[in-house]
Amino acid sequence: MPDIMMEVPINAAPETLYHALTEQDGIRSWWTQQADYTPKIGAVSEFRFYNGGVVLRLALEETEANRKVVWKAVSGVPDWLGTQVIWDLVPVENGTKLLFSHRDFASSDGSLPYTTYNWAWYIISLKKYAETGTGSPHTGDPNT
């Protein structure tokens, strides 16, 4: 099964990234402003794009404070169903090494290339948010 994997150095403490991944205000600051996020294991959160034209529902599967966050796709983009989004936060001398993976796609056909591009865009936004306090989240505007 194909996976998306990225390693990104971020000049911010793991705690900063953990909060950006586990708090609604954090998620809305780097990924999508149209997010209803519940930070409880098993809770299904909703992330909307293009004024609700694309709706992702992800269940929070696992957290380890300041170290790891795991989401599982339960609905949304068909290729995502059952995939896992894993954020490993490794402390390093100058901040954090983010080990990102989106795992268990059924095939490399379909949305995999588009998903890879989008994750790269939003991980850059997460990096900017963690380092400067200002990310580039999706606003809901169908033209952005």
Side-chain angles (χ1 to χ4, degrees):
M1 296 189 143
D3 299 326
I4 299 167
M5 300 176 74
M6 299 179 202
E7 180 178 318
V8 181
I10 299 178
N11 293 321
E15 296 83 11
T16 301
L17 289 157
Y18 184 78
H19 292 297
L21 296 166
T22 60
E23 295 177 0
Q24 183 163 283
D25 288 343
I27 297 272
R28 288 179 173 178
S29 295
W30 67 269
W31 194 17
T32 178
Q33 292 177 349
Q34 297 180 320
D36 294 316
Y37 186 75
T38 303
K40 292 166 59 174
I41 299 296
V44 176
S45 297
E46 189 172 280
F47 308 90
R48 294 174 304 283
F49 299 83
Y50 309 108
N51 287 327
V54 174
V55 179
L56 305 173
R57 290 183 182 86
L58 304 175
L60 183 60
E61 278 202 326
E62 178 184 346
T63 62
E64 184 181 338
N66 307 321
R67 306 285 287 173
K68 186 173 197 160
V69 177
V70 179
W71 300 329
K72 184 169 188 159
V74 297
S75 70
V77 178
D79 295 356
W80 282 36
L81 188 60
T83 63
Q84 284 189 312
V85 178
I86 303 167
W87 308 88
D88 284 303
L89 311 173
V90 179
V92 294
E93 185 176 328
N94 295 324
T96 305
K97 177 170 51 173
L98 170 63
L99 301 174
F100 169 85
S101 58
H102 191 160
R103 296 183 176 272
D104 300 327
F105 283 86
S107 77
S108 58
D109 299 329
S111 73
L112 187 67
Y114 182 75
T115 299
T116 303
Y117 171 83
N118 279 304
W119 275 129
W121 170 265
Y122 288 113
I123 289 171
I124 291 169
S125 176
L126 173 61
K127 177 179 172 71
K128 283 176 35 183
Y129 174 65
E131 293 177 349
T132 70
T134 303
S136 301
H138 181 75
T139 63
D141 182 342
N143 298 311
T144 60

